[in-house]
Every structure is written in C-alpha cells, then in structure tokens.
Amino acid sequence: MWPSTSTENLPEYVVVVYPGVVRNAEKAIETLGGTQTLSMNHFAGRPLELRHNPKNLYTNALVSERGSAEKSFGGTGTVLCVVTVRRKKSDPNCVQAKVIGMVSTVYTFKSMCDFHYLPIRQSEAFPGCFENLVPKLIPLDLPGALSWWNQPENERRTPLHLPPYQFSRYSIPSSKLLCKETDFSPEKVKRKSAGHGQSLRSERKALSVTVHSTAEFPKQPTEEAVNDANIRCKNDEPHRLLQELFEERPMWTRVGILKKTRLDDGLIKTLLQKFAFYILNGPWGRLWCRFGYDPRTDPNAKQYQSVMVTFRQHAKIPERQRLKIVTKNSERPGHASVTSASSLAPAVPSTYGSLTDEHIDYTYTPGELPRVRQMWYCICDVKLPIAEEIVRKEFFAHSERADPQNGWLPPVILLNSPKL
C-alpha cells in the first residue's frame, strides 16, 4: 500500500448522519427536501429538516444539528476524509488509497422524532379503505390554488378535519414519567411553574415588603428577612442605628435614612427589610414605614405625608442636569422620580460635588438650591412657613381612618401644595 502525495487543494464534503437505514439514496435526499433545498439550507446556515413522508403536509419535521467535523467527535483531533481505494486483481494485498476530499460539516439528528398525523378518513365508496383528505384541504399546484374558490359548492365542501394544535413539547427524550399529579403542595406548584427541568442559577429572593396604600400593613417582618439581615451584617452598630432611627420617627424617606445613618447604600438595602416596609402610593407613598405602625389610624401622621417638590427651568435657577438622588446601586423603591435631562443642558458645576461622595439632604431649606431638581419630601421636612403651619394646625377628622387619597389633610390644603 502506498499513499498519494498530491498537493492539490482538496474539496470539502458535507456528511449527513441519516437516522435510518438508507436503501435508496435518492429517496433519502427527497426526505431532506431535495438536492436544491439541501444546498440552500447549507450555504444559508440553516438546519436541515427531515420528513419521512414528504408528501404529508401534516408531519412535524425533524430538525438537525450542525457542527464541524472536529466538534462532532468531541475535539479528539479525528479528521474525516473521503477516500477511494483500489486493489490489484492479480495481487489483492496491493492496495492504493487516495484522499479526494475533507469533511468540513456534519449534520446529525439527535432530537426525538415527533408524531406524524395522516389526514385520512374511512371511505364511503370502498368499505375498509381510507381516503386521503390532503387534496380537499390544501391546493397541490398553482392552477388548483387559483381556481380553488371557483369550484362548485358540492365539490368544494371539505369534510370536518381537526388537526392537532400542538406536537410534542420537547425535542429531546425526558426521563420523567408523565402521569397524574398527586402532590399539590405549594413547593411542588412553585417548582412546576418554573418550566421543564431545573434552573442551575441560584435563587435571589426579595425579602423587603412592598405594599399599596389600601392594603393591610404588616405588623412585623418575616423570620426569613430578619435572619437574612443578621447573616449579611454581623456588626450590631448598623442595626442599632436603624432601630433608633425608626424609634425617633416611624416614617422616613430613603434619602433621609441615608443622611441620618451615614451608612452605605448597599448595607441599608440589606437591613431595611428587618425594620420597615415600603409604601408604593397614596398619601404616604415613597416612604419606608416602621413595622407595626399604621399612619392611616394616627392623625399625627399628617406631618409625614409625602409631597413632590420640583424646580423647573427658571431664569433665577441655573439650568442643570436632573440627577438621581441615590447611588447607582440603589434599589428601585428608593430612587427619586427623575425625568431625563435636556440634551442642551450644561454639565453639573463642580461646586455641587458628587452625589456618590456626599449624601443629599432630605430637608428643604429656603434660600438653598437643592442638589436635585425633583424630589419627594415629608411635609415636616419642608422648612417653609406653609408647611410648618400644616404641621402645627389641627384639622377636623371626618373619620377614624385617613382618606385613601388625601390622608389626614383636607383637599384644599393639597391643592396649595405646589406652593411648597
């Protein structure tokens, strides 16, 4: 045996690992869509589709997986070649082998073959035989499609045919036994709603409690939230600061918590779930409320009602970019309602400092320009005469429970809130 030493460029070949015994190559290629479809799908980078019965339009195709010859063998360095072998009749031991090409791409069919549906019915003219319904359901050629609606009513009548709306859900075999469920525990239902299989990503739970103004306010944190906060922060000092802060006042804005405690924003995000819950909307919206305290039953909670103060573009106020109240790592409930800056707005002057280096003041002081142009305040944190008068004045309560929209303040007071 002697090898060929030709140095000419060898053509590349494509291998299709057909999932079956091929007795007729032409029929096998026809099940893949034909030679022209094979070439188009290969050069377009699309997978091959195998239909064992190409004439049946109600079959689900078996989709191939495309890979290089090296990856198909697990990266072991195996090279696939197309070789021709010649033997001498006079001397069978004398063999000549010649490599005529290299295999570059391999198509494999590893997915599960789906069900096939045949649109047939029992024939009325020939008992025991079946009638093909495809010609009555779908036009088979262009002339038939153009004259499809011109057929007589008795010939155009299509028998009742309900094909399956869904084939197999998964393209690979499953080791799970599909049977009737007998375990309806919450843990089982939660795992089932996650989809097929098990996610390897670690679960990240949001342990902070968020409520609407009309919902029931929680009395105490969950045991899981307390344990998580104790595990994440072993130092007792941050716990003590937040405990004393909510004993001093039951409701705070997130900016106020950052300013008073001087703690890191990420640490506050971890510990707040232990001491307070977040109110989304209503008279006390955007505030963190101490567990066990309900401002809807306490008339003194009017001083904690939240108002939004906005400084719009004005000749006496220098135009600046709208800045976020907290750092970029803060959670969504704590950030300010900030609109996008104008593309023509100049950069922030350096005299205002960096928001990440110094906490923003949670109180509004007359004569001082806030570092942000839009921010939520508690009424007691607005140091203006009209706000101080609202805090001192006693208002007549029409009910033992605060109004869902106006809280403990009359609507006329809230209409004048833009003056704040």
Side-chain angles (χ1 to χ4, degrees), residues 346-382:
V348 182
S350 58
T351 55
Y352 293 108
S354 173
L355 290 180
T356 57
D357 298 336
E358 181 182 354
H359 294 295
I360 299 174
D361 195 358
Y362 65 97
T363 61
Y364 173 74
T365 305
E368 295 184 7
L369 184 64
R371 297 176 60 196
V372 291
R373 296 182 56 195
Q374 193 175 60
M375 182 171 169
W376 288 88
Y377 293 96
C378 291
I379 294 180
C380 60
D381 294 331
V382 180

Side-chain angles (χ1 to χ4, degrees), residues 138-213:
I138 302 175
L140 301 181
D141 51 12
L142 182 59
L146 296 177
S147 61
W148 184 260
W149 301 106
N150 298 329
Q151 300 177 7
E153 183 67 24
N154 55 351
E155 296 182 5
R156 195 178 60 186
R157 182 176 299 173
T158 303
L160 181 61
H161 173 62
L162 298 176
Y165 75 98
Q166 185 181 25
F167 290 94
S168 297
R169 295 187 178 182
Y170 313 110
S171 59
I172 57 176
S174 176
S175 59
K176 296 183 178 180
L177 180 62
L178 302 180
C179 60
K180 186 177 181 180
E181 292 287 348
T182 57
D183 185 7
F184 296 98
S185 60
E187 294 79 8
K188 178 69 175 181
V189 175
K190 185 177 181 181
R191 290 196 304 268
K192 185 177 179 181
S193 62
H196 181 66
Q198 182 180 4
S199 176
L200 299 179
R201 181 179 179 180
S202 59
E203 184 179 4
R204 295 183 295 179
K205 296 182 179 179
L207 301 177
S208 58
V209 180
T210 303
V211 298
H212 290 273
S213 60

Side-chain angles (χ1 to χ4, degrees), residues 15-227:
V15 172
V16 178
V17 182
Y18 196 87
V21 179
V22 178
R23 296 180 179 177
N24 189 325
E26 294 182 358
K27 290 186 177 180
I29 294 177
E30 185 181 353
T31 59
L32 295 171
T35 306
Q36 184 177 1
T37 304
L38 276 173
S39 301
M40 291 176 56
N41 291 342
H42 173 71
F43 291 108
R46 295 191 294 265
L48 305 182
E49 295 184 354
L50 171 62
R51 290 180 172 85
H52 292 94
N53 190 357
K55 296 182 180 180
N56 183 12
L57 303 178
Y58 289 88
T59 57
N60 195 23
L62 187 62
V63 182
S64 68
E65 296 180 5
R66 177 174 177 168
S68 62
E70 182 180 358
K71 292 183 179 180
S72 299
F73 290 91
T76 58
T78 304
V79 179
L80 292 181
C81 304
V82 180
V83 181
T84 58
V85 179
R86 291 185 177 182
R87 298 177 183 270
K88 285 188 176 182
K89 295 182 179 180
S90 58
D91 187 3
N93 295 327
C94 184
V95 180
Q96 180 185 10
K98 181 181 180 180
V99 177
I100 62 174
M102 306 290 292
V103 176
S104 61
T105 307
V106 178
Y107 289 95
T108 57
F109 295 88
K110 298 181 180 180
S111 58
M112 183 175 59
C113 184
D114 211 331
F115 298 101
H116 297 268
Y117 188 84
L118 299 177
I120 58 177
R121 70 170 182 178
Q122 290 188 355
S123 176
E124 299 178 356
F126 303 95
C129 298
F130 291 89
E131 178 185 0
N132 185 13
L133 298 181
V134 173
K136 296 184 178 181
L137 297 174
I138 302 175
L140 301 181
D141 51 12
L142 182 59
L146 296 177
S147 61
W148 184 260
W149 301 106
N150 298 329
Q151 300 177 7
E153 183 67 24
N154 55 351
E155 296 182 5
R156 195 178 60 186
R157 182 176 299 173
T158 303
L160 181 61
H161 173 62
L162 298 176
Y165 75 98
Q166 185 181 25
F167 290 94
S168 297
R169 295 187 178 182
Y170 313 110
S171 59
I172 57 176
S174 176
S175 59
K176 296 183 178 180
L177 180 62
L178 302 180
C179 60
K180 186 177 181 180
E181 292 287 348
T182 57
D183 185 7
F184 296 98
S185 60
E187 294 79 8
K188 178 69 175 181
V189 175
K190 185 177 181 181
R191 290 196 304 268
K192 185 177 179 181
S193 62
H196 181 66
Q198 182 180 4
S199 176
L200 299 179
R201 181 179 179 180
S202 59
E203 184 179 4
R204 295 183 295 179
K205 296 182 179 179
L207 301 177
S208 58
V209 180
T210 303
V211 298
H212 290 273
S213 60
T214 56
E216 182 180 357
F217 288 179
K219 302 295 183 182
Q220 59 185 4
T222 61
E223 183 179 356
E224 188 177 6
V226 175
N227 295 335

Side-chain angles (χ1 to χ4, degrees), residues 366-412:
E368 295 184 7
L369 184 64
R371 297 176 60 196
V372 291
R373 296 182 56 195
Q374 193 175 60
M375 182 171 169
W376 288 88
Y377 293 96
C378 291
I379 294 180
C380 60
D381 294 331
V382 180
K383 307 304 180 182
L384 290 176
I386 184 175
E388 295 175 353
E389 182 182 357
I390 293 175
V391 174
R392 292 193 307 266
K393 189 175 180 180
E394 296 290 338
F395 296 96
F396 177 74
H398 296 276
S399 174
E400 296 181 355
R401 195 174 181 87
D403 184 77
Q405 294 183 353
N406 304 321
W408 294 105
L409 299 177
V412 65

